[in-house]
Structures are given as structure tokens and as C-alpha cells.
Amino acid sequence: MTNHNALISDAKGSIGVAVRVPNQSLFSPGGGRYISIPRKKLVQKLETDPSQTRTHSWIEAMRASSPTRTRPENISSLPESDEEDEYSSWIAQHPSALTMFEEIAEASKGKQIVMFLDYDGTLSPIVENPDRAYMSDEMREAVKGVARYFPTAIVTGRCRDKVRRFVKLPGLYYAGSHGMDIKGPSKKTKHNKNNKGVLFQAANEFLPMIDQVSKCLVEKMRDIEGANVENNKFCVSVHYRCVDQKDWGLVAEHVTSILSEYPKLRLTQGRKVLEIRPTIKWDKGKALEFLLESLGFANSNDVLPIYIGDDRTDEDAFKVLKKKGQGFGILVSKVPKETSATYSLQEPSEVGEFLQRLVEWKQMSLRG
């Protein structure tokens, strides 16, 4: 078997390691990458079990993707003006969808807007207990208004039934488990005139395996304070938002240990959550394409998809829109992030404001 880890020496004689992360890992949805580990950490790893290197790389990723509310360590010595310059540069590339609303409205003329919305961090705030991620009544009214004029889908990593109970709106398309479980309105609607219910489940054969992994993780995480295992039907989420950082290594160790016994499953990562999914080629981008086709807009130039999301899993949908050169991705974030989205919004309250403006614009255009 080929060894994909390589020792690297620099001019000063210091040693590091580059760990190749395969496609099945959370770092490389589109191909392997190399992660550099400093000499000190390398020595620590060589003194322990080398097989833990991959687990260690996941711990590092957990830390890197979980910034605190304080300034990041790598820029703590920089003046705030430099941070502001960095943000200004980023916002110039991904301007606010509120500021650029007229441009979005102009692009939609003569086209059917189709709205795609993530849930956590987009329609609801990120909370410590994922079972209490409720959306506000104002946000519900905004989504309801949008769905009155445009086909609207909720695309989430959550279990489809659970997110539907959160949203409490009929007439929407719900795509749970990162798009692996899709169900449309069962009754005739303005956007579903054929009264054809959409139902798509991409990974039914994995259900027993996912259920078994979920039960194993629940047992393993029982002694880790703050760990929360959520069975989302077609994937399993391990939330570590409330876990003390000193125990993150134990979380990663348990997850990777169990995952090693299931080669048909893979590990991905979101905002303070590790997610175990089937290895099938399906994600939120594929779900977006499937729903557009179901609505009769496959290869159509008369449609303008808008996708709003805050997580790295939403990047798959942003990339689809960018590749098509059609529609807009809108990233919800207060900090600069590498993204394929066109525009940005800072938080769920701005998402609600954007949706409300879209409704008001549509109402005015109908009257005018």
C-alpha cells in the first residue's frame, strides 16, 4: 500500500509532515489536499500511535473552523485597521445582498425566481442546543411571503421531518439530510399545478447502517459533557459546540474509530459539527439541480435561482450556480470566508430583511 504521508525538511533542518487527506475526508469534496503539521506536533505524533495522525488532522480542522468571539490568534498582533481592511476587501468581492438589491431585482426581470434556503444560521440563529433552533415568527412570515410568489425550498443537513416541524409552513419543498431526502407539496399549489408530489430519497439502502452508527455514537459520547448526537435519518451529526475544547480530541477519536468500520460512509464538517454521510455523490448542489428539474426549469434560461446559506455544505450549491452562471449564492457570515457565493448577509435578521424586501418588490411589480 502506498504511504501518502511524507516527511519534509526545510533549510533550517526543522521537520514537518504533510498528510494527504483522501476524498472520503471532510477536507476534500473535490480532491485530496495536504495539511502541514509543525515539527513539534510531528514529534508528538511519532511518539504515539502513527495511525492517530488522521484523527489529529480532524482535531486541527475542528479548531480552525470554530473561531471564538475574540480576535483570532494569528492576527492578534495586527492593528484593528488591518482587520477592517481585510473585511473591506472581502465585502468588495461579496457585497451585501441588501445593498445590491436593485441589481438582483434587475437581473430577475422576465425570469422566475426560485428560492433555496438553509435553516440553521440562516433562518434561525445558531444555538447551543440544536433541538431549540427555533425561527422567529417574523422570519416565518417572511418565508411564507416569499413562498407565495416564488417556489421555495428549505435545504438543510437536518432530518426533513424535524426541519418541517421547525418551519411549520406547507407548500414548501423540504430537502433534508443535505438533500438526500426531498419532499415537495403533496397538494396542488401555484407553483405545482400538476399536483405531482415530489419525493426523492437518494440513499435508502444506507438507512440501517446510519441507524447503527448513530446508536454507537450515542453510547460513545455518553461520557463527554456537552456532546450531542443527532440522527438526521440519512446522516448523523455530532455537535461539539458545548464540548470543552480539551475534549474535542476525544470526540474526533470516537467518531473516526467508529467510521473506520464503515467504508461506505464518509466524514464531513460544518459549524462545530461533524457529520457522517453515505459516500454517494449527492450534496446540496445536486439537490438544487434536482429541484430545478422537478419544477420544469432544467436547462432553462427563464429562471433565477437564489440560494442563501451560512455553512460550508452550502458551498456545493454556490458552486453549481457559479458554474451555471445563473442565479446568485448569498453567504450568511459576519467574518470573511472563502466562498463561491456572489453576495453576503451578516446574520439571520438580514436574511429576513432581504426576504421581506423581495416580497415587497414583487408586490409592487405586480401592481405596476
Side-chain angles (χ1 to χ4, degrees), residues 157-214:
R158 296 270 197 160
C159 170
R160 172 171 58 82
D161 291 337
K162 178 177 286 187
V163 80
R164 196 180 191 284
R165 289 195 296 270
F166 278 142
V167 177
K168 299 178 183 177
L169 291 175
L172 274 60
Y173 293 81
Y174 289 92
S177 302
H178 301 287
M180 287 183 282
D181 186 11
I182 301 174
K183 192 174 189 306
S186 57
K187 296 182 180 180
K188 182 177 179 180
T189 66
K190 179 180 179 181
H191 311 298
N192 183 25
K193 297 179 180 179
N194 294 327
N195 196 24
K196 291 174 61 178
V198 175
L199 178 62
F200 175 80
Q201 295 179 325
N204 278 327
E205 66 272 25
F206 289 91
L207 287 176
M209 192 183 302
I210 291 292
D211 191 55
Q212 188 174 6
V213 167
S214 177

Side-chain angles (χ1 to χ4, degrees), residues 104-116:
I104 296 172
E106 183 66 26
S108 71
K109 287 184 176 179
K111 297 183 179 181
Q112 172 65 64
I113 291 176
V114 180
M115 184 64 63
F116 298 89

Side-chain angles (χ1 to χ4, degrees), residues 238-266:
V238 181
H239 301 272
Y240 58 92
R241 180 171 299 278
C242 298
V243 175
D244 192 306
Q245 189 166 337
K246 66 180 176 60
D247 292 327
W248 287 5
L250 192 55
V251 172
E253 183 180 333
H254 287 333
V255 171
T256 55
S257 173
I258 291 174
L259 191 64
S260 66
E261 301 176 15
Y262 296 89
K264 292 186 178 181
L265 300 177
R266 65 189 177 102

Side-chain angles (χ1 to χ4, degrees), residues 27-100:
F27 292 104
S28 52
R33 293 188 194 173
Y34 288 85
I35 300 169
S36 296
I37 300 176
R39 180 183 185 279
K40 182 178 179 181
K41 293 181 179 178
L42 170 63
V43 173
Q44 292 173 347
K45 282 296 160 190
L46 292 178
E47 290 174 347
T48 59
D49 183 359
S51 66
Q52 294 183 3
T53 302
R54 187 174 179 184
T55 300
H56 174 77
S57 67
W58 281 333
I59 299 170
E60 291 299 302
M62 291 162 72
R63 291 171 180 161
S65 66
S66 305
T68 63
R69 293 182 181 274
T70 57
R71 300 170 72 192
E73 292 181 5
N74 62 335
I75 60 171
S76 59
S77 60
L78 295 178
E80 290 189 13
S81 59
D82 286 356
E83 292 180 53
E84 292 171 357
D85 289 344
E86 180 188 3
Y87 181 75
S88 297
S89 175
W90 184 82
I91 206 69
Q93 298 176 55
H94 311 284
S96 168
L98 292 172
T99 303
M100 305 302 291

